[in-house]
């Protein structure tokens, strides 16, 4: 049996980050892009908590920061979905490629 | 009752500390008041705008009090709550920026009253979003902790996304806010991931501590060097998004064109100035504390991005047909000019003078007047032209409505940076600061800025040609008195500031001096990350730096 250490958490966080960036780049659906954003944010959360736990820190800055990140992500998601709704009402789609009126 | 008081914990801010943050408290109070006001006084646009201006005035009163301008207790610059470290700072720079934002808010409110108030049903929501984003921007300039910085950037961004899409039934408005929001969300996510890596390396998010320890960590080897560099660049992406520095500028023209023009005026100055001053503050603490070996890289990165930003902004502005889009690219170019000053800071960090910050402060003040005037005229003309924002809509304006065309001319010429307008003097300060730094990099930057000024002349003059050399059979446009007064005041102030440039320079110098920067702990001196983390909050809240005080 092997013990779960910092590296394992960092690998998961990095995977989340890479997958999130990949989703942001390839998805054309606005909601899909937002899911990518959430994955990156959760990768950051895992990093923060893991560093705090395994780097032998006496304070809990990392955990507190990750709580802030969760709240920020929630606020952003609420507003983002409202903006997507508004986009849908005007264009009948949430495909970002259809937002091509403004260009140049 | 006495028991309650006895139980107040040690970390709870004292009354004096609360006073230092009375502007923020008044600001939040104003927000709550405007949100609740419709229950009491209805949704009348004029009443709500009046209430907002009163709230802004109260906030300004407290800001001046903290600045020591109207208080008998003397100035309170450089204060920070005992346990907050660099979390929240009330020093010369942040207080000055707060005042600037408040003045600008009043200008935007006047413009809104004369352009949009008549057909607006959602006045309370508009002002809550506007003033809310202003609070976020003021917090951006009051911190050098990365966590607080992220929160402040989000605080400024979220209302901005909503306010850009405020015309719910307009297709371009919906599109603009979606694009702005997606770019913002992605850059915020990247910034937070970078912050989490930085936390892993340094065990803190305080930039002072990070800067002090960056040398030893970088000496650790290739992989560390790459990762720390990458993490810092990720954090920089978040700030660059607010400044709309190339290559993170794609949201800017779209959001500016789709938003109402008064919102465009607001974002083009306030959000960029906040981002720039945040960058200046971070670069400043970083340079004071980090070793010389790290600094050269920082200066080169900033210089390259500043060059790209002003050049691309000016080149792209050239072919625009929409005046809002053209001014959006012009604002990108101006952000590039101001960013060049951040590159000087890197070397000046060891020098006592804060020429670079002073240059940017003077530039921001004048830039605010120029953009408020220019966008004000655009908003007034557009509102009478059925939302037509093409440059050709200005044809013949010089002959039909000189009261609008002349301030527009002043603002555009000032944006180019030609005398006799204030845009010239601030650009001169910038070039002088670059020249004083006296090294190849800064000379190159100065040359880039001069060449860009020449390029920018042509596209600004296209509007002037339309206004004064084209014939138009359109009747004179009738605009509200308050709007005309506002844009003319901006135009006249631009001349006044050039003639009396000394007070501007003096104030910029005074408010850029005495930045709060605590003495950090070196990782190497401490032995382990553990003791570093413990020692941060308690020992190192150095005595506030003595700055010259406002008066």
């Amino acid at each position: 049996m092997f013990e779960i250490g910092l590296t394992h958490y960092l690998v998961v966080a990095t995977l989340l980050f890479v997958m999130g960036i990949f989703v942001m780049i390839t998805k054309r659906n606005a909601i899909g892009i937002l899911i990518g954003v959430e994955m990156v944010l959760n990768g950051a959360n895992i990093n923060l908590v893991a560093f705090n736990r395994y780097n032998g820190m006496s304070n809990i800055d990392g955990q507190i920061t990750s709580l802030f990140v969760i709240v920020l992500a929630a606020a952003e998601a609420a507003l983002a979905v409202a903006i997507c709704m508004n986009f849908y009402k005007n264009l009948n789609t949430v495909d970002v490629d259809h937002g091509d009126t403004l260009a140049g | 009752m006495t028991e309650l008081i006895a139980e107040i914990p040690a970390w709870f801010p004292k009354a004096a500390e609360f006073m230092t943050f009375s502007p923020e408290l008044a600001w939040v109070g104003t927000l709550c008041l405007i949100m609740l006001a419709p229950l009491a006084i209805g949704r009348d646009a004029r009443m709500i705008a009046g209430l907002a201006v009163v709230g802004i005035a109260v906030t300004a009163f407290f800001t001046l009090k903290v600045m020591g301008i109207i208080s008998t207790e003397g100035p309170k610059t450089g204060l920070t709550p005992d346990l907050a470290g660099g979390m929240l700072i009330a020093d010369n720079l942040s207080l000055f920026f707060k005042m600037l934002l408040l003045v600008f808010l009043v200008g935007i409110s006047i413009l809104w009253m004369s352009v949009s108030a008549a057909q607006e049903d959602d006045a309370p929501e508009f002002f809550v979003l506007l003033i809310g984003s202003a609070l976020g921007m003021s917090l951006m300039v009051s911190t050098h902790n990365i966590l607080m910085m992220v929160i402040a950037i989000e605080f400024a961004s979220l209302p901005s996304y909503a306010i850009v899409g405020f015309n719910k039934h307009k297709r371009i408005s919906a599109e603009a806010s979606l694009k702005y929001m997606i770019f913002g969300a992605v850059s915020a996510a990247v910034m937070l991931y970078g912050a989490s890596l930085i936390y892993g390396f340094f065990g803190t998010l305080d930039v002072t501590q990070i800067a002090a320890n960056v040398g030893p960590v970088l000496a650790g080897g290739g992989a560390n060097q790459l990762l720390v560099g990458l993490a810092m660049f990720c954090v920089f992406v978040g700030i660059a998004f607010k400044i709309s520095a190339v290559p993170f500028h794609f949201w800017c023209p779209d959001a500016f064109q789709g938003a109402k023009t008064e919102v465009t005026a607001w974002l083009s100055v306030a959000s960029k100035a906040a981002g720039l001053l945040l960058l200046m503050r971070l670069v400043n603490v970083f340079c004071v504390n980090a070793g010389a070996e790290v600094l050269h890289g920082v200066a080169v990165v900033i210089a390259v991005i500043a060059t790209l930003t002003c050049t691309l902004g000016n080149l792209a502005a050239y072919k625009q047909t929409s005046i809002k889009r053209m001014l959006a690219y012009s604002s990108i170019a101006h952000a590039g000019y101001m960013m060049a000053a951040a590159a000087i800071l890197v070397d000046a960090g060891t020098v006592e003078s804060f020429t670079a910050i002073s240059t940017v402060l003077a530039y921001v003040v004048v830039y605010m007047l120029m953009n408020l005037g220019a966008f004000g005229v655009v908003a007034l003309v557009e509102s009478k032209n059925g939302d037509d924002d093409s440059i050709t809509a200005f044809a013949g304006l010089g002959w039909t409505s000189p009261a609008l065309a002349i301030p527009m001319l002043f603002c555009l010429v000032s944006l180019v940076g030609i005398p006799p307008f204030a845009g010239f003097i601030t650009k001169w300060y910038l070039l002088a600061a670059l020249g004083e730094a006296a090294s190849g990099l800064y000379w190159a930057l100065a040359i880039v800025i001069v060449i860009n000024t020449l390029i920018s002349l042509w596209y600004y003059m296209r509007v002037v040609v339309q206004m004064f050399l084209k014939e138009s059979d359109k009747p004179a446009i009738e605009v509200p008195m308050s709007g005309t007064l506002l844009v003319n005041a901006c135009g006249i102030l631009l001349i006044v500031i050039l003639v009396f440039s000394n007070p501007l320079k003096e104030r910029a110098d005074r408010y850029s001096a005495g930045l709060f920067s605590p003495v950090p702990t070196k990782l190497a001196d401490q032995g382990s990350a553990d003791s570093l983390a413990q020692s941060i909050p308690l020992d190192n809240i150095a005595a506030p730096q003595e700055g010259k005080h406002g008066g």
Side-chain angles (χ1 to χ4, degrees):
Chain A
M1 284 302 287
F2 64 94
E3 197 159 322
I4 304 237
L6 179 59
T7 321
H8 300 86
Y9 286 101
L10 293 190
V11 167
V12 174
T14 313
L15 275 177
L16 271 173
F17 176 71
V18 173
M19 288 195 294
I21 294 281
F22 183 74
V23 165
M24 287 178 209
I25 293 170
T26 53
K27 280 279 174 193
R28 302 275 49 113
N29 184 310
I31 305 286
I33 297 175
L34 289 174
I35 293 174
V37 170
E38 297 294 315
M39 288 167 84
V40 172
L41 287 176
N42 282 325
N45 274 342
I46 294 180
N47 264 351
L48 286 168
V49 176
F51 280 134
N52 200 152
R53 170 72 180 76
Y54 287 96
N55 275 5
M57 290 166 199
S58 58
N59 57 16
I60 49 164
D61 279 6
Q63 270 102 325
I64 300 285
T65 307
S66 72
L67 282 179
F68 275 106
V69 175
I70 291 170
V71 174
L72 281 181
E76 198 166 70
L79 186 78
V81 171
I83 287 175
C84 289
M85 283 274 289
N86 189 31
F87 189 76
Y88 183 80
K89 269 198 302 194
N90 279 284
L91 282 90
N92 265 326
T93 173
V94 285
D95 189 334
V96 287
D97 282 346
H98 284 87
D100 53 2
T101 324
L102 300 167
Chain B
M1 194 63 197
T2 43
E3 274 172 33
L4 254 181
I5 292 169
E7 279 170 23
I8 290 176
W11 50 263
F12 198 75
K14 295 171 200 63
E17 288 171 1
F18 265 126
M19 269 317 287
T20 319
F21 295 99
S22 51
E24 277 86 356
L25 296 177
W27 217 313
V28 175
T30 310
L31 280 179
C32 299
L33 207 63
I34 297 173
M35 248 188 281
L36 294 174
L39 298 175
I41 60 170
R43 303 179 64 86
D44 179 56
R46 275 161 209 285
M47 292 282 279
I48 299 290
L51 188 67
V53 171
V54 170
I56 293 166
V58 171
T59 313
F61 170 79
F62 281 115
T63 312
L64 290 173
K65 210 168 148 78
V66 177
M67 282 169 113
I69 291 179
I70 53 169
S71 121
T72 49
E73 292 170 44
K76 292 193 167 86
T77 42
L79 262 190
T80 182
D82 276 351
L83 290 170
M87 274 281 181
L88 262 181
I89 303 164
D91 64 1
N92 281 326
L93 182 67
S94 68
L95 287 166
F96 177 82
F97 187 65
K98 263 174 223 159
M99 266 327 282
L100 191 76
L101 276 182
L102 291 167
V103 171
F104 191 42
L105 269 178
V106 174
I108 296 292
S109 305
I110 295 173
L111 189 60
W112 180 84
M113 285 294 284
S114 53
V115 177
S116 303
Q119 61 270 21
E120 184 60 75
D121 300 324
D122 300 321
E125 287 75 15
F126 179 82
F127 277 102
V128 167
L129 292 173
L130 185 72
I131 298 177
S133 69
L135 178 53
M137 288 162 194
S138 92
L139 290 177
M140 275 167 73
V141 184
S142 322
T143 182
H144 46 64
N145 185 295
I146 293 180
L147 170 61
M148 189 61 201
M149 183 190 99
V150 171
I151 294 171
I153 287 182
E154 289 289 279
F155 195 167
S157 294
L158 294 182
S160 306
Y161 307 153
I163 211 171
V164 163
F166 209 72
N167 283 338
K168 291 191 290 289
H169 306 297
K170 263 176 89 178
R171 185 187 162 125
I172 58 164
S173 193
E175 187 187 322
S177 73
L178 185 80
K179 283 182 177 169
Y180 191 10
M181 184 272 294
I182 285 181
F183 276 113
V186 170
S187 69
V190 170
M191 176 169 59
L192 269 165
Y193 194 81
S196 76
L197 289 179
I198 285 185
Y199 179 75
F201 275 108
F202 300 101
T204 172
L205 286 172
D206 189 66
V207 178
T208 329
Q209 308 291 336
I210 294 169
N213 299 317
V214 72
V217 171
L218 283 186
N224 272 4
Q225 219 161 355
L226 188 69
L227 260 179
V228 171
L230 215 61
M232 284 184 176
F233 190 73
C234 283
V235 173
F236 175 73
V237 167
I239 307 173
F241 161 77
K242 286 308 279 180
I243 305 175
S244 71
V246 174
F248 314 103
H249 68 290
F250 295 103
W251 60 274
C252 179
D254 291 350
F256 283 14
Q257 194 184 357
K260 290 178 179 199
T261 312
E262 58 270 30
V263 173
T264 309
W266 168 251
L267 291 178
S268 73
V269 179
S271 99
K272 281 181 200 214
L276 274 162
L277 291 177
L278 168 67
L279 181 71
M280 300 297 273
R281 191 191 277 284
L282 293 191
V283 170
N284 179 50
V285 250
F286 197 81
C287 296
V288 170
N289 296 307
E293 68 277 10
V294 198
L295 294 184
H296 189 65
V298 176
V300 170
V301 169
I302 292 177
V304 167
I305 289 185
T307 309
L308 280 177
T309 305
C310 56
T311 313
L312 246 97
N314 278 326
L315 291 180
Y318 193 65
K319 61 180 168 65
Q320 299 307 322
T321 51
S322 154
I323 186 148
K324 277 162 87 174
R325 230 180 150 75
M326 190 201 90
L327 286 173
Y329 277 112
S330 122
S331 80
I332 295 178
H334 279 272
Y337 299 150
M338 288 186 256
M339 243 182 119
I344 318 175
L345 252 192
V346 177
D347 265 5
T350 45
V351 184
E352 247 56 65
S353 84
F354 289 92
T355 333
I357 298 180
S358 149
T359 309
V360 170
L361 275 188
Y363 206 112
V364 164
V365 172
V366 171
Y367 181 62
M368 181 193 91
L369 290 172
M370 300 191 288
N371 261 23
L372 184 59
F375 277 113
V377 175
V378 173
L380 291 167
V381 171
E382 195 189 31
S383 70
K384 298 296 163 187
N385 266 342
D387 284 353
D388 179 11
D389 64 353
S390 60
I391 293 179
T392 46
F394 281 75
L397 194 76
W399 309 112
T400 55
S401 311
L404 292 179
I406 289 174
M408 184 69 171
L409 173 72
F410 287 8
C411 292
L412 289 176
V413 177
S414 180
L415 278 165
V416 185
I418 307 178
F421 300 103
F424 166 73
I425 197 79
T426 47
K427 203 167 263 178
W428 178 252
Y429 290 150
L430 180 61
L431 291 174
L434 283 167
E436 259 172 51
S439 110
L441 183 66
Y442 305 118
W443 280 107
L445 267 177
I447 292 168
V448 165
I449 289 174
V450 170
I451 293 174
N452 268 292
T453 306
L454 291 177
I455 302 175
S456 71
L457 184 65
W458 301 115
Y459 67 82
Y460 289 121
M461 284 313 122
R462 274 172 62 205
V463 184
V464 176
V465 167
Q466 285 287 342
M467 287 195 302
F468 290 98
L469 300 180
K470 289 275 162 42
E471 302 264 325
S472 164
D473 47 5
K474 271 184 267 180
I477 50 175
E478 294 281 329
V479 294
M481 198 58 189
S482 54
T484 316
L485 279 178
L486 179 75
V487 292
N488 279 290
C490 289
I492 292 165
L493 270 175
L494 286 177
I495 298 185
V496 172
I497 289 183
L498 182 81
V499 178
F500 302 102
S501 57
N502 269 344
L504 176 72
K505 180 74 181 150
E506 253 170 44
R507 281 187 172 69
D509 281 345
R510 187 195 304 152
Y511 290 119
S512 54
L515 256 65
F516 175 79
S517 88
V519 182
T521 329
K522 290 262 182 197
L523 198 56
D525 304 342
Q526 288 292 322
S528 75
D530 191 26
S531 52
L532 168 78
Q534 272 182 325
S535 65
I536 294 162
L538 299 173
D539 308 338
N540 290 293
I541 314 305
Q545 288 202 351
E546 280 300 310
K548 288 176 201 152
H549 303 309

